[in-house]
Amino acid sequence: LIAVALSAGGSNAVAQDKAAPVVLTPITMKVLSPPRILPGSDGRQHVVYELRVGNATPLDVELTAVQVLAAGKGRIVGRLDTAGVAARLAVGANRGQMRAKLGAAQYGILFLHVSFPDLASVPARLTHRVRVVFAPRPKGMTMTGGATAVSRTPPPVLGAPLRGKNY
């Protein structure tokens, strides 16, 4: 029974590898929870979410640019330069440690916010293009990752906390 389960799992793993090749990158990216669309008081649709960025190398790295892309179309829907990343990247998920650099084997949470003029213009999926420079090497590299679906579930609507007279 165990041998059958292992052989079935092994052939399934091979089929998955052929469908989605594994790409090794020095920077890992993962969206922590599917982004949700939130209507703003400005009439725009806002997508706010967190991207976990990890440095899988023994070198220090600086994130010099981040682009949010409409997956499959490659259209840039949001961007941050080094200063923008420094204001939104919480090293070790510590909001008191905001900067654009990650040390060796360190991770951070990048807080992202992209807005759209209307619901129809919000892409079904997002991905991210990150430009990094590894110290002490001046030449950088660009990686794409952190693909995610955008949730179309409407946000909960909260009513007044109290009912009755005199509230």
Side-chain angles (χ1 to χ4, degrees), residues 2 4 16 21-22 31 49 58 67 70 76 92 97 99 108 115 137 147-148:
I2 292 174
V4 171
Q16 288 176 351
V22 174
V31 172
Y49 61 103
Q67 295 175 334
I76 299 170
Q97 295 290 318
R99 61 178 183 250
S115 70
R137 294 166 176 82
T148 185

Side-chain angles (χ1 to χ4, degrees), residues 2-59:
I2 292 174
V4 171
L6 287 175
S7 71
S11 63
N12 188 21
V14 171
Q16 288 176 351
D17 287 346
K18 288 180 182 178
V22 174
V23 178
L24 300 177
T25 64
I27 299 297
T28 61
M29 294 174 266
K30 178 180 172 131
V31 172
L32 298 179
S33 180
R36 293 182 72 167
I37 304 166
L38 305 169
S41 60
D42 59 358
R44 295 179 63 84
Q45 301 299 311
H46 297 263
V47 178
V48 181
Y49 61 103
E50 300 84 25
L51 177 68
R52 184 185 186 279
V53 181
N55 176 8
T57 75
L59 304 171

Side-chain angles (χ1 to χ4, degrees), residues 120-145:
S121 63
V122 178
R125 296 186 57 76
L126 298 172
T127 193
H128 307 84
R129 183 181 301 141
V130 177
R131 174 96 179 134
V132 298
V133 175
F134 292 95
R137 294 166 176 82
K139 185 178 179 183
M141 66 186 301
T142 302
M143 290 154 281
T144 303

